[in-house]
Amino acid sequence: MEPLDLTPDMLLRAYAIGVFPMAEDRDDPDLFWIDPRMRGIIDMTAFHVPKRLRRTIRSRKYRVSFDENFEGIMDGCAESTERRPRTWINDKILTLYTSLHRMGHAHSVEVWEGDLLAGGLYGVTLGGAFFGESMFSRRRDASKVALVHLVARLKAANFTLLDTQFVTKHLERFGATEVPRADYRAMLAEALNTHADFFSRYRADEVEAFLDRIAHPA
């Protein structure tokens, strides 16, 4: 594959047709298109939250915010750790997605323990689709807390598609599954024609009502 020289507008057009860029390594300056044969998604109508995580969220051990420290979240996702010595987020990715954030098309969920950025995630929005990009934790369950708050917000804001790109053991616990490329593109087309507003009103305490609804569906 040929290296990509992307602009933020080109990146949005790529998401709209179901492809996204990655780098081979944190220090690799080039980007390449990814178009998985099987695509990871989370069906938000069947979202599952383990009991222990529910207790953590209800304890309010962590404070959760949105778009408060987007660059800090990207830096956290890009950093190397013992469990993740290599990452795919290079300087071009950092620059491109920061630009998308300033355009209102990329968002972060921050999880705080006091003044410490304990974890979080970021992704891209188009229509009623949220394309999850990466997440990280510096404290136990921090990225999981971010994901639950994200899903609660997406459902409240009328989003219909949560794209995880790939499925990991971490995401399987929440009900993530793989769908064939053709099925994904049909879901994407429907989502792009859906009106959703990530900026719609959402309070952090609304996640508790969301947890009640998924535990006791009507």
Side-chain angles (χ1 to χ4, degrees), residues 14-148:
Y15 276 100
I17 61 171
V19 299
F20 58 90
M22 292 182 74
E24 290 288 347
D25 191 80
R26 175 69 177 89
D27 298 321
D28 188 335
D30 296 324
L31 302 178
F32 302 93
W33 290 127
I34 306 294
D35 184 14
R37 183 180 61 83
M38 299 295 292
R39 191 68 163 248
I41 64 162
I42 290 178
D43 179 352
M44 291 185 286
T45 65
F47 188 64
H48 172 70
V49 181
K51 288 183 178 179
R52 186 180 62 78
L53 182 58
R54 290 172 186 260
R55 291 195 295 271
T56 298
I57 293 169
R58 292 185 189 280
S59 74
R60 304 194 183 184
K61 173 183 179 180
Y62 298 118
R63 179 177 73 86
V64 177
S65 61
F66 294 86
D67 289 347
E68 191 171 303
N69 189 354
F70 184 85
E71 293 184 26
I73 290 294
M74 287 210 69
D75 288 340
C77 290
E79 69 188 10
S80 298
T81 66
E82 282 188 12
R83 303 179 82 179
R84 187 180 61 179
R86 298 179 62 189
T87 70
W88 55 270
I89 300 172
N90 65 7
D91 288 344
K92 282 187 178 179
I93 291 282
L94 290 168
T95 298
L96 279 167
Y97 287 80
T98 299
S99 295
L100 287 186
H101 173 63
R102 291 170 181 158
M103 294 165 62
H105 280 290
H107 303 282
S108 58
V109 186
E110 300 88 18
V111 178
W112 304 89
E113 185 178 54
D115 293 331
L116 171 73
L117 184 56
L121 59 84
Y122 77 97
V124 173
T125 57
L126 273 179
F130 186 95
F131 308 89
E133 286 297 313
S134 188
M135 57 174 57
F136 77 100
S137 287
R138 294 176 179 142
R139 293 291 186 269
R140 183 174 182 175
D141 290 338
S143 65
K144 297 175 185 176
V145 170
L147 178 61
V148 175

Side-chain angles (χ1 to χ4, degrees), residues 149-175:
H149 275 266
L150 172 69
V151 173
R153 183 170 192 142
L154 295 180
K155 286 184 68 66
N158 200 40
F159 281 77
T160 62
L161 175 63
L162 175 50
D163 173 3
T164 66
Q165 299 178 347
F166 306 103
V167 174
T168 64
K169 294 292 185 183
H170 178 82
L171 293 174
E172 280 181 346
R173 298 170 188 166
F174 297 93

